[in-house]
């Protein structure tokens, strides 16, 4: 272009442009001139409406460009004044170049004066999307319509964001706009004035994400319903910035058909991402993620637990505590939406329901066949507690309004129905059907029962182990059956005596010398097995002072009393002691014989142990006896020596 | 239609309690609290038999002048207590049973949520909705 001075407009000294500046400015000018095609919206205040001349740049794009320079509005005012556009009423090439130069000066920190453009300045910087960077710096070949649209694409996206924010604020009055407060790197909000004419460019291939913006755009006068994917890119970019742990790259926009639930649609890229994340948690896409794994994963999103809990409620349609791939995508999408400020819906949106997700992405890895087989095998794959819990409310499956797509779950239900053989009470079917209207996905039956789970059964059985083997001492200690022997005939124990050897006597403590005779006395009655009351009572009384013995008889008494009271207890525990129980449960004789053998064996063992103890005791006592003897001898000797030798 | 529904944990503290707002809520809380004794009594009375044979539905715990209190225990000793209006004679035992079954269903759904820690108060919206549907529709 010409290195023209601002002569005609009285802009002052001639404008000298360097080579790069020339190139850049010419590109920008061409862009502004070419792209502008009559936007209906009002022009910015500082750029007056220009005559539709090809040699001039339209005010709209010029204003956009100027705003992209991120200079304050007053500066831009000054610049436009200085460059003479105000005077002539249009942005001619000269004015445009002067303006650009002034912008460069202002960005360099120089005051906006005509003098400042005399010196060498760097190229003015216009902050647009990164796609602009290429354009800005001299890629003349790329100046085509498509590229031209891109800045408007970005600006419009940015402006759409603003508008959407405001619309959302008006419509939803959601208090969650703060996450959106971080402004995108775009011109400030008055960008929306250029929204209208920018719209005419965006006709194809933009995804609709926001019903609010969709309706808001209508009054603007958009003939078509094509909406920008502003909110779509917004959550995607937020992913990159906010959800670091999710490691999202910048995702492109995608085409999609018109659909009322804009924010709840999953784009192709999003879905790819979700599937990849699913694979990272669970390599098999037709299987499911368990609750704990999913919990750990979703907790990383830093949402609050109640919100995550609610999202789970929404997305886990069959309430099985695990997420299939479509459920996982729905949950992920809800989390993403929530992180971007969308309030959570009351019910699962139709676009997020698993059948829809399945059907909408047939080319995905899920195939209906796989899902069919998966759902059929779900009962098998599910954790055993689910299956084993057979629930009467399985009747629900009979009455649910199953959509035709739900053939899979229908099969599933049939499979489960066959496995569940319970009468289905019909009274609650209507209730459940109505209550589940909001989410027809609950057609998936819950194979639960409330009688008891097998796990619980085994647990309970584990808690109640079989009665421990009988302790033979309890049965036939000398003092244990004191009361009982009074009650029952001693002859009966006599018959048992042959079967059950006497229990070992309690070894008296060696230090207690007076216990020795007592222990011997104790031994005798036991050995004789004549539980005469006198013999037993005497050792019992003598046992009283000892710490050890009393506990044993007391225990044994308690035990035998227990045994008598609980007659239905297995006779094994009672064993021989029982003369008492032997008398009572006659049918249990056979059981007792086997128990008696065990009792005999344990008694033999105990006796051997007692034997060993007593032998040791014996040796110790013998030793003491020897010592005492020696002492005695010594003392006698001393006495002899000390006694005066007056033995005459 | 129930007037008050409560879910009591094994340790006898409430996980969820809701009553129709028109009445004095404290009264219902008190009734539920006192009914816990009756529940425990019924459980222990049946406790000698194997647990499997124990029925989950406890039936009428005790009637008062204006209300009847029904109980239900799960195998994990979580109790559901329901207070119904005595004047509502149309309510049959079967209906009460079905209501308890629905409660149990919803409770297991809440349990399935991995973000729910057993022992927390129940804040699930689905559970709330279900309980609302069962409670008396006043005004």
């Amino acid at each position: 272009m010409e290195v023209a001075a601002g002569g005609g407009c009285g802009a002052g000294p001639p404008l000298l442009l360097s080579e790069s500046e020339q190139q850049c400015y010419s590109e920008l000018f061409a862009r502004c001139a070419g792209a502008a095609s009559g936007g209906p919206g009002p022009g910015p205040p500082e750029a007056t409406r220009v005559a539709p001349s090809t040699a001039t740049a339209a005010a709209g794009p010029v204003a956009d460009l100027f705003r992209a320079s991120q200079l304050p509005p007053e500066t831009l005012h000054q610049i436009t004044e200085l460059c003479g556009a105000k005077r002539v009423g249009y942005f001619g090439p000269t004015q445009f170049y002067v303006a650009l130069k002034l912008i460069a000066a202002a960005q360099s920190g120089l005051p906006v004066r005509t003098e400042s453009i005399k010196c060498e300045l760097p190229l003015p910087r216009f902050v647009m999307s990164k796609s602009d960077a290429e354009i800005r710096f001299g890629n003349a070949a790329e100046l085509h319509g498509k590229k031209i649209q891109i800045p408007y694409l970005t600006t419009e996206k940015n402006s759409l964001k603003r508008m959407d924010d405001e619309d959302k604020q008006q419509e939803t009055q959601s208090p969650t706009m703060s996450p959106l407060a971080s402004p995108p790197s775009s011109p400030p909000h008055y960008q929306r004035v250029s929204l209208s004419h920018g719209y005419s460019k965006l006709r194809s291939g933009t995804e609709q994400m926001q019903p609010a913006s969709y309706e808001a755009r209508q009054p603007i006068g958009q003939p078509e319903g094509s909406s920008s994917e502003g909110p779509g890119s917004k959550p995607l970019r937020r992913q990159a910035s906010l959800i670091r742990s999710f490691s999202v790259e910048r995702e492109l926009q995608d085409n999609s058909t018109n659909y009322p639930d804009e924010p709840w649609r999953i784009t192709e890229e999003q879905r790819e991402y979700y599937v990849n994340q699913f694979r990272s948690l669970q390599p098999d896409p037709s299987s499911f993620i368990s609750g704990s794994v999913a919990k750990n994963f979703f907790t990383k999103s830093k949402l609050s637990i109640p919100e995550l809990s609610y999202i789970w409620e929404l997305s886990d349609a069959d309430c099985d505590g695990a997420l299939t791939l479509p459920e996982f995508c729905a949950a992920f999408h809800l989390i993403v939406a929530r992180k971007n400020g969308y309030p959570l819906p009351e019910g699962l949106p139709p676009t997020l329901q698993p059948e829809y997700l399945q059907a909408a992405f047939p080319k995905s890895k899920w195939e209906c066949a796989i899902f069919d087989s998966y759902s059929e095998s779900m009962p098998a794959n599910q954790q055993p507690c689910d299956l084993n819990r057979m629930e009467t409310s399985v009747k629900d499956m009979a009455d649910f309004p199953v959509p035709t797509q739900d053939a899979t779950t229908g099969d599933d239900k049939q499979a489960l129905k066959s496995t569940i053989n319970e009468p289905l009470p019909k009274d609650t079917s209507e209730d459940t059907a109505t209550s589940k209207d909001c989410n027809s996905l609950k057609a998936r039956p819950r194979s639960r029962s409330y009688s008891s789970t097998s796990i619980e059964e085994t647990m309970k059985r584990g808690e109640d182990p079989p009665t421990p083997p009988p302790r033979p001492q309890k049965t036939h200690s000398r003092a244990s059956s004191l009361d009982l022997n009074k009650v029952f005939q001693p002859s009966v124990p006599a018959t048992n005596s042959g079967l059950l050897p006497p229990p070992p006597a309690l070894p008296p403590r060696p230090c207690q010398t007076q216990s020795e005779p007592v222990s011997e006395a104790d031994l005798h009655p036991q050995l004789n097995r004549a539980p005469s009351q006198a013999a037993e009572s005497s050792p019992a009384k003598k046992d009283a002072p000892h710490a050890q013995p009393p506990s044993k008889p007391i225990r044994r008494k308690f035990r035998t009393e227990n045994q008598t009271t609980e007659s239905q207890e297995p006779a094994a525990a009672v064993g021989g002691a029982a003369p008492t129980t032997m008398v009572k449960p006659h049918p249990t004789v056979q059981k007792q014989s086997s128990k008696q053998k065990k009792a005999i064996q344990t008694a033999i063992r105990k006796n051997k142990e007692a034997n060993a103890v007593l032998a040791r005791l014996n040796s110790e006592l013998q030793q003491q006896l020897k010592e005492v003897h020696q002492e005695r001898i010594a003392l006698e000797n001393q006495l002899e020596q000390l006694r005066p030798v007056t033995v005459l | 239609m129930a007037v008050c529904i409560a879910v009591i944990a094994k340790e006898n503290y409430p996980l969820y309690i809701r009553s129709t707002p028109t009445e004095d809520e404290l009264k219902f809380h008190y009734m539920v609290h006192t009914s816990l004794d009756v529940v425990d009594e019924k459980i222990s009375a049946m406790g000698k038999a194997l647990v499997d044979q124990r029925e989950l539905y406890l039936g009428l715990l005790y009637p008062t002048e204006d209300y009847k209190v029904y109980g239900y225990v799960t195998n994990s000793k979580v109790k559901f207590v329901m207070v119904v209006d005595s004047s509502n004679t149309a309510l049959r035992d079967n209906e009460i049973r079905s209501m308890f079954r629905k409660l149990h269903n919803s409770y297991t759904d809440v349990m399935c949520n991995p973000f729910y820690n057993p022992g927390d108060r129940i804040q699930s919206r689905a559970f709330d909705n279900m309980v609302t549907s069962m409670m008396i529709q006043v005004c």
Side-chain angles (χ1 to χ4, degrees):
Chain A
M1 285 285 187
E2 68 280 14
V3 182
C9 12
L15 186 65
L16 294 172
L17 296 177
S18 66
E19 199 53 44
S20 62
E21 280 181 341
Q22 266 186 0
Q23 203 177 6
C24 175
Y25 292 175
S26 60
E27 284 170 15
L28 288 174
F29 183 75
R31 192 202 310 170
C32 289
S37 57
E46 55 265 35
T48 56
R49 266 278 147 234
V50 312
S53 155
T54 54
T56 63
V62 170
D64 295 354
L65 194 64
F66 286 180
R67 289 192 203 99
S69 66
Q70 289 191 327
L71 290 176
E74 314 84 74
T75 316
L76 294 175
H77 276 275
Q78 278 181 312
I79 289 173
T80 39
E81 267 188 28
L82 276 178
C83 74
K86 274 221 173 339
R87 221 166 316 147
V88 302
Y90 59 89
F91 266 106
T94 53
Q95 292 80 26
F96 191 76
Y97 294 161
V98 170
L100 288 177
K101 193 87 177 174
L102 285 170
I103 286 174
Q107 285 179 342
S108 315
L110 299 174
V112 180
R113 294 278 181 271
T114 50
E115 299 80 10
S116 49
I117 59 175
K118 287 184 201 164
C119 52
E120 277 293 320
L121 290 168
L123 288 175
R125 295 177 300 280
F126 295 99
V127 186
M128 294 184 188
S129 76
K130 64 182 178 185
S131 55
D132 281 341
E134 303 143 16
I135 301 172
R136 211 185 323 142
F137 292 109
N139 241 336
E142 290 181 357
L143 263 184
H144 294 300
K146 188 83 166 120
K147 283 291 183 179
I148 288 169
Q149 287 186 14
I150 288 177
Y152 302 100
L153 189 78
T154 60
T155 55
E156 171 177 309
K157 274 188 294 187
N158 300 330
S159 60
L160 264 181
K161 279 182 200 171
R162 289 295 159 193
M163 201 186 64
D164 292 342
D165 297 351
E166 291 159 11
D167 286 342
K168 267 175 63 68
Q169 280 167 353
Q170 292 155 12
E171 295 197 4
T172 65
Q173 294 177 0
S174 141
T176 63
M177 299 318 292
S178 51
L180 296 168
S182 67
S185 60
S186 71
H189 70 279
Y190 50 81
Q191 192 68 21
R192 73 186 292 174
V193 294
S194 64
L195 187 67
S196 50
H197 84 95
Y199 259 106
S200 54
K201 297 165 189 56
L202 286 178
R203 289 289 182 233
S204 65
T206 56
E207 181 175 317
Q208 309 138 19
M209 286 293 287
Q210 181 79 335
S213 58
Y214 175 71
E215 282 127 25
R217 276 179 232 120
Q218 293 288 358
I220 294 183
Q222 285 306 306
E224 298 181 9
S226 66
S227 58
S228 157
E229 55 72 52
S233 66
K234 175 171 49 171
L236 298 181
R237 275 188 222 144
R238 296 298 155 141
Q239 286 179 7
S241 60
L242 297 175
I243 312 177
R244 303 252 174 241
S245 66
F246 286 40
S247 66
V248 179
E249 307 100 8
R250 221 132 189 249
E251 300 185 34
L252 307 171
Q253 305 124 30
D254 193 15
N255 303 347
S256 73
T257 59
N258 208 342
Y259 204 97
D261 287 355
E262 268 71 332
W264 310 119
R265 266 182 86 72
I266 302 183
T267 69
E268 192 58 38
E269 283 73 22
Q270 285 178 327
R271 212 193 46 76
E272 293 276 338
Y273 177 69
Y274 299 156
V275 172
N276 288 337
Q277 288 291 319
F278 184 91
R279 287 238 193 75
S280 74
L281 296 176
Q282 161 69 266
D284 181 11
S286 64
S287 178
F288 48 87
I289 297 180
S290 74
S292 48
V293 171
K295 173 180 177 179
N296 292 337
F297 181 73
F298 287 140
T299 314
K300 288 192 226 161
S301 72
K302 308 263 189 310
L303 284 181
S304 66
I305 296 290
E307 288 186 352
L308 285 171
S309 173
Y310 183 57
I311 286 175
W312 178 280
E313 245 182 66
L314 288 177
S315 58
D316 189 6
D318 47 9
C319 293
D320 56 356
L323 292 181
T324 64
L325 184 54
E327 288 174 349
F328 177 83
C329 289
F332 209 136
H333 197 73
L334 283 170
I335 288 180
V336 164
R338 186 76 188 93
K339 287 232 59 127
N340 289 298
Y342 288 88
L344 289 175
E346 285 301 314
L348 195 63
T351 50
L352 286 183
Q353 297 213 353
E355 314 124 327
Y356 174 83
L357 287 174
Q358 255 186 292
F361 301 105
K363 61 181 192 270
S364 74
K365 283 78 184 172
W366 326 319
E367 297 190 79
C368 290
I370 293 178
F371 201 68
D372 278 344
S373 60
Y374 153 62
S375 64
E376 300 250 4
S377 63
M378 262 293 273
N381 288 346
Q382 263 188 353
Q383 306 171 11
C385 56
D386 274 349
L387 277 182
N388 292 330
R389 290 185 282 166
M390 313 297 273
E391 203 257 306
T392 55
S393 76
V394 162
K395 67 194 174 295
D396 298 347
M397 27 184 200
D399 300 299
F400 274 116
V402 179
T404 53
Q405 283 179 355
D406 223 357
T408 65
T409 60
D411 294 343
D412 199 6
K413 286 190 271 179
Q414 290 308 315
L416 282 175
K417 233 182 181 171
S418 57
T419 56
I420 300 167
N421 293 324
E422 278 191 7
L424 308 180
K426 309 271 188 303
D427 48 353
T428 61
S429 54
E430 293 85 18
D431 296 343
T432 52
T434 52
S435 67
K436 304 268 170 37
D437 268 346
C438 58
N439 193 353
S440 63
L441 248 296
K442 295 238 169 139
R444 179 167 162 62
R446 286 170 293 178
S447 55
R448 298 196 210 111
S449 84
Y450 298 123
S451 55
S452 69
T453 70
S454 65
I455 290 180
E456 291 184 32
E457 282 171 9
T458 52
M459 270 174 53
K460 287 196 172 68
R461 287 202 200 99
E463 291 165 7
D464 227 354
T467 53
R471 291 189 227 174
Q473 296 96 328
K474 311 293 184 293
T475 66
H476 44 259
S477 76
R478 58 198 181 285
S480 65
S481 49
L482 185 61
D483 297 335
L484 303 168
N485 287 330
K486 285 180 195 166
V487 177
F488 297 96
Q489 296 170 11
S491 62
V492 179
T495 59
N496 288 337
S497 64
L499 298 171
L500 299 166
L506 288 166
R509 294 194 194 123
C511 55
Q512 294 178 0
T513 53
Q514 69 265 22
S515 66
E516 293 174 18
V518 175
S519 64
E520 291 177 5
D522 290 346
L523 281 171
H524 283 302
Q526 294 182 13
L527 289 172
N528 293 338
R529 283 299 295 160
S532 59
Q533 301 170 9
E536 290 205 352
S537 58
S538 56
K541 282 176 199 160
K542 282 175 190 164
D543 278 341
H546 302 291
Q548 266 186 348
S551 61
K552 263 197 171 182
I554 289 171
R555 219 172 351 124
R556 289 188 199 122
K557 271 185 205 167
F558 176 75
R559 174 82 190 186
T560 48
E561 280 167 4
N562 270 351
Q563 288 163 0
T564 51
T565 51
E566 298 171 355
S567 58
Q568 67 266 26
E569 280 212 4
V574 180
T580 68
T581 53
M582 280 297 281
V583 174
K584 281 181 190 171
H586 288 286
T588 58
V589 171
Q590 288 177 355
K591 220 196 294 183
Q592 283 178 0
S593 62
S594 61
K595 308 289 181 184
Q596 281 167 7
K597 281 183 194 163
K598 288 183 198 165
I600 288 167
Q601 286 163 0
T602 47
I604 287 172
R605 221 183 315 120
K606 293 287 162 79
N607 283 338
K608 282 187 183 162
E609 289 168 16
N611 243 354
V613 170
L614 287 172
R616 202 169 1 103
L617 183 61
N618 202 10
S619 61
E620 282 176 13
L621 288 173
Q622 293 292 330
Q623 194 70 22
Q624 277 187 355
L625 190 61
K626 274 186 206 168
E627 286 169 13
V628 166
H629 271 303
Q630 284 172 2
E631 277 183 23
R632 188 184 165 204
I633 292 169
L635 284 171
E636 280 183 3
N637 284 339
Q638 280 187 354
L639 191 62
E640 285 292 333
Q641 291 165 9
L642 289 174
R643 199 178 284 168
V645 187
T646 54
V647 176
L648 292 174
Chain B
M1 288 291 126
V3 174
C4 170
I5 289 177
V7 178
I8 317 286
K10 183 173 160 187
E11 293 83 15
N12 288 334
Y13 62 88
L15 293 175
Y16 181 89
I17 180 163
R18 193 140 125 221
S19 44
T20 55
T22 53
E23 300 281 343
D24 184 10
E25 295 207 37
L26 200 58
K27 178 174 70 169
F28 290 125
H29 286 227
Y30 179 67
M31 282 176 81
V32 169
H33 186 75
T34 53
S35 69
L36 290 179
D37 276 335
V38 187
V39 171
D40 279 339
E41 194 186 308
K42 289 205 182 246
I43 294 177
S44 62
M46 293 201 240
K48 298 292 186 199
L50 288 180
V51 182
D52 294 346
Q53 299 156 7
R54 185 164 58 81
E55 167 125 358
L56 301 178
Y57 175 68
L58 300 175
L60 181 67
L61 297 178
Y62 67 88
T64 63
E65 201 175 306
D66 300 321
Y67 301 102
K68 291 193 252 194
V69 183
Y70 291 88
Y72 182 99
V73 187
T74 68
N75 282 319
S76 53
K77 299 285 190 299
V78 173
K79 305 153 186 102
F80 300 127
V81 176
M82 188 188 310
V83 182
V84 298
D85 206 336
S86 278
S87 56
N88 194 347
T89 51
L91 268 182
R92 293 170 56 231
D93 196 52
N94 271 342
E95 294 173 21
I96 307 276
R97 280 180 194 261
S98 70
M99 285 161 83
F100 274 125
R101 205 173 299 122
K102 271 202 295 184
L103 263 178
H104 200 162
N105 266 344
S106 299
Y107 178 71
T108 45
D109 283 346
V110 169
M111 276 292 159
C112 280
N113 191 329
F115 297 102
Y116 172 77
N117 301 316
D120 291 351
R121 300 193 68 93
I122 295 177
Q123 285 157 336
S124 149
R125 283 190 224 184
F127 192 82
D128 280 340
N129 295 339
M130 192 274 314
V131 168
T132 313
S133 72
M134 280 172 39
M135 294 192 61
I136 212 164
Q137 303 299 326
V138 180
C139 67

